[in-house]
Amino acid sequence: MSSTVTYTVAGMSCGHCEKAINGEVSALPGVTAVSSDAKAGTVTVTAEPALSDEQIAAAVDEAGYELIGRAA
């Protein structure tokens, strides 16, 4: 069963930021969709099976940004 979660990310400001995060997160095993929004400061990840917040945080960190937590 797939899981879709939206996270808040600090430091995104442009399309390049979105591409960097999308690239790192989409490389995680099981990720089927990634959508970053620099203006909103969010990344939405769909994966099957669900990934841990730590796995997403590590990928966002690798891209050079900071995952704050799950968006409300």
Side-chain angles (χ1 to χ4, degrees):
M1 183 168 162
S2 69
S3 166
T4 301
V5 180
T6 300
Y7 298 92
T8 302
V9 176
M12 280 196 299
S13 61
C14 64
H16 178 268
C17 302
E18 293 171 348
K19 284 179 106 171
I21 289 174
N22 289 351
E24 290 295 336
V25 174
S26 66
L28 293 171
V31 172
T32 57
V34 180
S35 176
S36 298
D37 184 337
K39 286 184 182 175
T42 60
V43 61
T44 301
V45 182
T46 302
E48 188 175 330
L51 298 173
S52 71
D53 293 350
E54 290 77 19
Q55 288 172 293
I56 303 298
V60 169
D61 183 66
E62 188 66 29
Y65 304 91
E66 180 185 1
L67 187 130
I68 303 300
R70 291 184 180 221

